[in-house]
Structure formats: structure tokens, C-alpha cells
Amino acid sequence: MKISNKAILFFILIVACVFRFYDFAHIPFTHDEFSALFRTRFSSFHELIERGVRPDGHPAGVQVFLYFWSKIVGWNTWLIKLPFAVAGVLSILLMYRIATLWYNETVGIISAAFLAVMQIMVMYAQIARPYISGHFFVLLMVFFWSLMILKPDKTFLRNSILFVLSAALCAYNHHFSLLMAAIVGFTGLFLIQRKYLGWYILSGVAIFALYIPHLSILFSQLEIGGIESWLAKPTPSFFPLYLGYLFNYSVLMYGLVGAIMAGGFFTIKKADFSLKKFLLFLTFFILPALIGYFYSVYSSAVLQYSVLIFSTPFILFLLFGHISNQKPVVNAVLTLIILAIGGYALIYKREHYRVFYDSPYEKIIDDAQKVNSQFPGTPILIHSHHAITDYYLDENTFSIPFTWLDSLPTTAQLILFLDSASKVSNTFYYGHLSENDSKTIPIIRDYFPEIKWQSNYFNASTYLFSKGEKMKTKNVVLDFETAETKNWSNFDLNYVVETDILNESHAYKVDSTIEWSVSFHENLSFFSPQKNDFIDIALSGYFEKSPKETLVVATLKNDETTVYWGASGFHDFLTSDIFPQQVKAHLTIKLSDVQGIEKQTALTVFLWNKGESQFLIDDFEIARRAGNRVLYGLGEQIE
């Protein structure tokens, strides 16, 4: 059977459909999708714009579409997502067509094959948000723009109209797809044939005219600023990490890209490489990223992987645009290798179908239901999104008794709740999202020390605790019972006193004249932590009266540069106004949220008696706790 490039492209599209539509009916809504759908519950279009669009920060396009689409199909997950998945597949076809216009069929085949297996393309085709739609609109715009630039004598008017409409769709879709439309449109001024320049400028005027109704929304959204409440400002490491993400963090894919590039250089002809084309697509790829980066650094944080999906395809032209046209059999072999290696990385390296298909909100409820069935009467504590949790409770007809963590707004209330729970049950369940206060787990373990099991999901974890023994981990303890004080300093053994007030027979006396007391110093690597692990710090104290600014402090430093500073006060852990009182303070370092950790990063922990209190301390403990390896696994590398 004769192999043709069209047959190869058709095969790529079939494989792309498999990756995007696998178990499609069971793909859960993401947080962003829930947020958008909750903002469709309005009785009028005006209310939708004023309350559902203006406060959001995204243009109106996709929100308006979801408003009408959800009225037709309801909240059926696969029907809500269907148009976006279709757009994801059609984008691959557009990529091929654009590549053949500017380069050749081999470049088109290679580019289409990579788009089929990149996780960023697969995942966002499964999310009903303005990312894959914008990706599609940008490619649609560039396709018609390319026809205007390269083949202006053929149906210029039709291509101009379609260019205007697709650029307007970019503008209404997302601010970064609007940025792409502006970059592409401006670039065309230097490429369009002079006799068509006037018509080209008119097309730009038409795009602006179509966007005029949205200007008031744009200006009001600009006043909102960035999203720094949850998105950090980027550092220069953003760019190499993003490139790794594009190729599924796979060494095999990196090697494949390098091999294909090298093979292209060996067969390159002078006519196959155009500096003009290279600079054109370099502009398309890099300029949005640079604008987003510098805006995020010097103004408000907006740069994240998702907003670069609109410019991402053009990196493939930079990598493979020099490759000359090959025979279909060569294209077929390249396609099979790309799809095999990329598919393997998507499924096994990125664990896409396990991590993405498990809704953290649903799993918190599912695991609670299982515990409720297996261990009736187990207290259940949940930290999650209320409205989304209610959605899953209704959908699954679950009826389980549980307590919301935010109904216990203070640490003291949590401690009292746990104390009561420990008197009626030997087990305890806790499910939480990633923004949970990290010291909640060690506080729970004061009453239920053993973690019987821990289940990890993207952005969430669930636990079943019991009163069994705490599992041994890499830890250090200063209990003042032995002379072993390695890595501990800034204390005087003469202040060790005999007492049975605290946990053992000795304690350490801190008087009001001592501001800086017991300290621990060691390289963080001593604890052998993984990037998503925690460092739990605990210290028991005995106070005759209420402590005044008595703090457990921890720092992480690279030489003289501090990358983390945190403190926890004993007063937060008081459970009554009655003294004397024994108190255990906790401080936890969430390593996944600390930027700049290196092999030689130094950990220092110390007691700061800032308020000049007098008290006893005992059992100063520092331990590593295993974290969630897939916590940010949809964007970061999974270890």
C-alpha cells in the first residue's frame, strides 16, 4: 500500500483524538471550569456581563459561550468540554496547513505529530476554558493571514474577511490571544505586498471596530491588576522549565527533538533555511513570553504556562523549519517515533490520565465516604471548596457527617476539636486542598500520631490517622535527657532542670533575660527531602502566665541570601485563659512553595523570646514529612 502524507496526517489526527477523548465522559471539571460555570447562573445577559465577566479578568468570549452552551446541554461534563476538544484536534490540522504554506509537508507532519502528544495541548483540549479555544483561533487567524501574505492574488477579500473575524475571536477569547493578534497584525505591515497595504490596514481597522464593544470591559479589568494572591512573579528559570514542560519533561523527547533537528541540518539545502522566516516565527513565539515576563516582574503577575499556549506552536517552526521535504515513508517513520515517545511520556512520565482525571474535590469526598463505611464513627475534617463539594455530594448522593476546617477558624479551636475527637475515636480522617495551613497535619498527629494511609492527588491529599505509633522519619530531637547536642547551640546546660511537668524528667528553663535561645543549624540536605516534602518543627512549653511574643523561628539560607523565613507563636496554641498551661507550638515549612532551594541550603531553627517571658521548654523536634509528589504535577515535573 502506498503511503501518502494525507494518510499520515489522518493517522496523527486519529491518535490525537484518542489522547483527547479517552474516557472523555469521566473527565472532571477543573476549578477554573467550576468557577466559570458558577458564573453562568444569571437571569439576564446584562447580569452575566456585570457580575460574571467584569470581575473575572478574562474577556467575555468564552464566558458568554458557556452561558448559552450550558443552557443547551446543562452541566454535562463531556458536552460542556466537547467544543474545546474538537478545537484541539482541528488546531493540529491548522498547524499542518500553516507549515505547508511556509515550509513543506515534512515540517507540517512533524509539527502536527508533536502537537498531538504535548501534554499542554492534550490537557487544555480537555478543559472548557479560553486556552485551547484561543490556540485554535490564533492558528485560524495565522492561516488566513498567511494566505494574505503569501498568496494575496488568490481570494484576498475572502481571506481578509476571515482574518478579521478570527482575529476578533482572538481578542474576545483571552488577553494573550489578543496580544498575539496584535503582534501578527503589526508584523504583516512589513510583509504584505505594497499594493494590498491599504486593504490590509482597513482589515486592522475592522478588527478594532469589532472590539470596540469590549473596550469598557477591558479597561475595568485592567484596574483589577494581576493574580498575585496565588501566582508568584516569575524568575528567569521560568523559561527553561516551560520548555521542559512543552516536551513532557521527557529526556527521550528532548533527545528526539535534538536528533530530528540534527538530521535536518545534515540534509539541509540553502533554499531550505530562511532567516526571514526564522525571525518571523521567533517573534511570534518569544515576544508574548517576554511581554508577559516583564509585565509580571515590574507590574502584576500574569505569566503562567497556560497563557503561552497561543504562541507555543511556533517554536516547532524554529526547531524544524530547516528540514527539507522528505518522502512519505520517512515522514511515516518520524510520525510513529514522535507519537510513540510522546505518548509514552504523556501516559507514564506525566501520568496524565491518572493525575488529571482524578478531581481533588471529588476524591476528598470519595475517600471520606470510604472511611465512613470502613470505620463508622470516624471524625471527618475537610478543607475544600464549599460549592464544588456540594456539587459532588449532590451528584454522588453522598450523605456523610463531616466538619469544615474553616468552621474552626483558630488553631485553639482546632486543638479542642481534636482533643474531643480523640476521646471518642481511634481513627481520624482529613482531606485538604494544597492551600491548607501546613501545620494542620502535625497538630492532628499530636492526637492521632500514625498515618495509616495517605492518598495524593493534584492539588490535594487525604489521610486516615490512628492512635498507633508515629512512623519513624529523618528527624532530630533535643529532649534535654542526654548529652547529645550535635547541631544544637545557644543554650546552657546549667539551665536544664529536673521536673515532671512536661513530657519527661528534664526541661530547659528560659528566663526573661534570654531573648535568643536554643538553636539548630544544619544543611537542609541532612533530612534528604524531596521537593514537595515538609519540614515539621515542634516545641513543647510550660507557661505560668500567658506568653508574650514567644516564637519558634525557621530560616532557609543560601549563604547570606534568605529564601525562607517563618515564625509561629506559642500564644496561637493556647486553648484557655487558665494558667499554668502546657502548650505545644508547631511550625511547618512547605518546601514546594520555597523558591531557590539548593543542595547547600542551610536550615536554622531557633527560639526567639521576643516578649521576654519566663517558661520551660522540652522536646524540640525537627522532622521531614513526606509530601505529595503530584501536588503540582499537571505543570511541574513529577519525581
Side-chain angles (χ1 to χ4, degrees):
M1 184 179 75
K2 186 177 180 180
I3 299 174
S4 69
N5 286 327
K6 287 185 178 179
I8 297 170
L9 176 62
F10 181 73
F11 177 71
I12 291 172
L13 293 174
I14 293 297
V15 173
C17 286
V18 171
F19 285 138
R20 286 153 180 78
F21 287 97
Y22 171 75
D23 202 15
F24 195 66
H26 295 103
I27 303 176
F29 287 134
T30 64
H31 179 276
D32 281 357
E33 288 173 297
F34 274 116
S35 174
L37 289 169
F38 289 147
R39 287 181 285 108
T40 62
R41 295 171 168 176
F42 300 114
S43 57
S44 68
F45 186 79
H46 178 266
E47 191 178 11
L48 168 71
I49 297 300
E50 295 303 316
R51 297 178 57 190
V53 174
R54 287 188 190 275
D56 175 49
H58 291 99
V62 170
Q63 191 62 33
V64 170
F65 171 78
L66 288 175
Y67 175 73
F68 291 108
W69 184 238
S70 62
K71 289 184 180 299
I72 297 171
V73 303
W75 278 36
N76 186 304
T77 54
W78 76 270
L79 286 174
I80 288 288
K81 293 172 181 284
L82 182 61
F84 298 85
V86 171
V89 175
L90 292 179
S91 296
I92 297 172
L93 178 60
L94 282 171
M95 187 68 178
Y96 172 82
R97 293 294 305 276
I98 295 168
T100 56
L101 283 172
W102 287 93
Y103 297 102
N104 55 60
E105 288 186 303
T106 295
V107 176
I109 291 290
I110 293 172
S111 300
F114 272 105
L115 284 190
V117 294
M118 286 178 168
Q119 187 186 26
I120 186 174
M121 301 302 171
V122 174
M123 183 177 71
Y124 283 107
Q126 298 173 326
I127 299 175
R129 295 302 292 133
Y131 301 108
I132 205 67
S133 56
H135 171 73
F136 172 74
F137 293 145
V138 166
L139 290 176
L140 190 67
M141 172 191 65
V142 171
F143 174 68
F144 292 116
W145 175 85
S146 299
L147 291 175
M148 294 169 66
I149 299 298
L150 300 174
K151 300 179 179 181
D153 296 329
K154 294 184 178 180
T155 60
F156 184 85
L157 179 60
R158 186 204 69 172
N159 292 331
S160 297
I161 293 172
L162 294 173
F163 165 66
V164 168
L165 293 176
S166 54
L169 288 171
C170 290
Y172 277 88
N173 178 84
H174 193 283
H175 296 311
F176 269 80
S177 56
L178 166 62
L179 175 63
M180 274 301 300
I183 292 171
V184 171
F186 182 76
T187 305
L189 292 172
F190 303 96
L191 300 176
I192 194 76
Q193 289 186 21
R194 294 302 94 182
K195 65 178 180 179
Y196 294 102
L197 181 59
W199 290 106
Y200 186 79
I201 293 173
L202 280 177
S203 69
V205 173
I207 295 169
F208 179 75
L210 290 174
Y211 189 69
I212 287 175
H214 198 277
L215 285 175
S216 65
I217 295 175
L218 172 66
F219 294 143
S220 62
Q221 289 179 338
L222 287 174
E223 295 176 359
I224 297 174
I227 45 181
E228 291 181 22
S229 60
W230 60 269
L231 181 66
K233 289 183 178 295
T235 64
S237 64
F238 175 90
F239 296 105
L241 290 173
Y242 181 61
L243 292 177
Y245 174 57
L246 290 186
F247 297 103
N248 297 353
Y249 294 113
S250 167
V251 174
L252 289 176
M253 285 192 76
Y254 304 155
L256 177 61
V257 170
I260 295 174
M261 289 178 65
F265 284 120
F266 281 117
T267 61
I268 194 170
K269 301 174 185 176
K270 187 175 181 180
D272 293 329
F273 179 78
S274 167
L275 180 61
K276 179 180 176 181
K277 293 178 185 178
F278 183 86
L279 293 176
L280 171 66
F281 292 112
L282 177 64
T283 300
F284 286 2
F285 173 69
I286 201 68
L287 192 55
L290 291 177
I291 291 172
Y293 178 81
F294 287 112
Y295 182 86
S296 296
V297 170
Y298 295 108
S299 184
S300 299
V302 295
L303 186 63
Q304 50 188 322
Y305 294 165
S306 58
V307 303
L308 297 184
I309 193 173
F310 316 119
S311 55
T312 288
F314 304 110
I315 191 178
L316 298 174
F317 294 165
L318 302 179
L319 297 174
F320 309 120
H322 63 285
I323 297 175
S324 59
N325 206 24
Q326 304 295 315
K327 294 179 180 179
V329 66
V330 175
N331 294 339
V333 171
L334 287 173
T335 296
L336 290 175
I337 295 173
I338 294 168
L339 295 180
I341 291 178
Y344 175 84
L346 176 71
I347 297 168
Y348 297 104
K349 178 72 174 176
R350 300 299 298 142
E351 302 179 38
H352 176 76
Y353 298 100
R354 183 183 77 82
V355 177
F356 183 65
Y357 280 43
D358 282 343
S359 165
Y361 309 98
E362 185 173 21
K363 284 299 180 180
I364 288 173
I365 294 299
D366 282 349
D367 290 349
Q369 174 71 10
K370 292 174 184 176
V371 167
N372 190 55
S373 299
Q374 295 173 5
F375 304 96
T378 296
I380 294 173
L381 184 65
I382 287 177
H383 169 266
S384 189
H385 190 288
H386 283 238
I388 298 176
T389 299
D390 289 341
Y391 169 85
Y392 281 115
L393 287 172
D394 293 341
E395 184 181 65
N396 297 310
T397 63
F398 285 163
S399 179
I400 52 175
F402 67 88
T403 300
W404 288 106
L405 179 63
D406 56 17
S407 70
L408 308 169
T410 67
T411 302
Q413 288 175 298
L414 172 63
I415 292 171
L416 292 172
F417 173 79
L418 291 167
D419 183 60
S420 297
S422 67
K423 294 174 182 176
V424 298
S425 177
N426 290 321
T427 53
F428 186 87
Y429 172 85
Y430 181 49
H432 69 87
L433 299 178
S434 63
E435 57 267 28
N436 154 77
D437 187 338
S438 299
K439 64 178 180 289
T440 302
I441 300 296
I443 294 174
I444 292 173
R445 297 182 78 185
D446 285 343
Y447 297 88
F448 300 90
E450 181 189 14
I451 298 178
K452 292 185 71 69
W453 54 253
Q454 174 180 344
S455 295
N456 295 321
Y457 310 102
F458 171 71
N459 201 37
S461 292
T462 61
Y463 303 81
L464 179 64
F465 300 91
S466 78
K467 291 183 178 179
E469 290 188 10
K470 184 181 292 188
M471 182 181 294
K472 297 294 183 182
T473 59
K474 186 71 174 181
N475 71 330
V476 292
V477 180
L478 181 63
D479 59 10
F480 305 105
E481 298 295 324
T482 68
E484 177 59 44
T485 59
K486 183 181 179 182
N487 299 323
W488 295 93
S489 62
N490 206 27
F491 69 97
D492 186 343
L493 290 175
N494 292 321
Y495 283 84
V496 176
V497 298
E498 292 188 8
T499 178
D500 59 0
I501 292 176
L502 289 169
N503 301 329
E504 300 181 47
S505 59
H506 293 85
Y508 187 79
K509 181 179 179 181
V510 180
D511 66 35
S512 59
T513 64
I514 301 175
E515 181 176 2
W516 310 98
S517 189
V518 185
S519 302
F520 173 85
H521 184 81
E522 178 59 276
N523 281 348
L524 182 63
S525 58
F526 171 82
F527 295 93
S528 305
Q530 299 297 310
K531 68 175 184 177
N532 290 342
D533 285 352
F534 300 87
I535 300 298
D536 289 331
I537 302 159
L539 178 61
S540 296
Y542 180 81
F543 295 85
E544 296 285 349
K545 57 183 180 179
S546 182
K548 297 181 295 183
E549 294 188 282
T550 305
L551 306 171
V552 178
V553 181
T555 66
L556 293 174
K557 286 187 175 183
N558 297 326
D559 295 325
E560 296 302 315
T561 302
T562 300
V563 296
Y564 170 86
W565 189 97
S568 190
F570 273 94
H571 59 278
D572 290 333
F573 298 85
L574 297 173
T575 56
S576 76
D577 296 328
I578 300 173
F579 291 90
Q581 187 174 155
Q582 183 174 336
V583 185
K584 189 172 185 179
H586 291 274
L587 173 63
T588 293
I589 305 174
K590 185 180 181 182
L591 296 179
S592 61
D593 289 356
V594 180
Q595 294 187 353
I597 292 178
E598 302 172 354
K599 288 185 178 180
Q600 299 304 314
T601 296
L603 168 67
T604 301
V605 180
F606 57 92
L607 177 62
W608 184 12
N609 188 15
K610 186 179 180 181
E612 300 178 345
S613 299
Q614 182 168 302
F615 52 98
L616 299 177
I617 60 171
D618 197 6
D619 291 341
F620 208 152
E621 181 178 8
I622 305 168
R624 177 187 64 83
R625 172 164 52 92
N628 177 354
R629 60 184 289 272
V630 298
L631 178 66
Y632 303 130
L634 291 179
E636 295 184 357
Q637 190 166 1
I638 298 174
E639 294 183 346

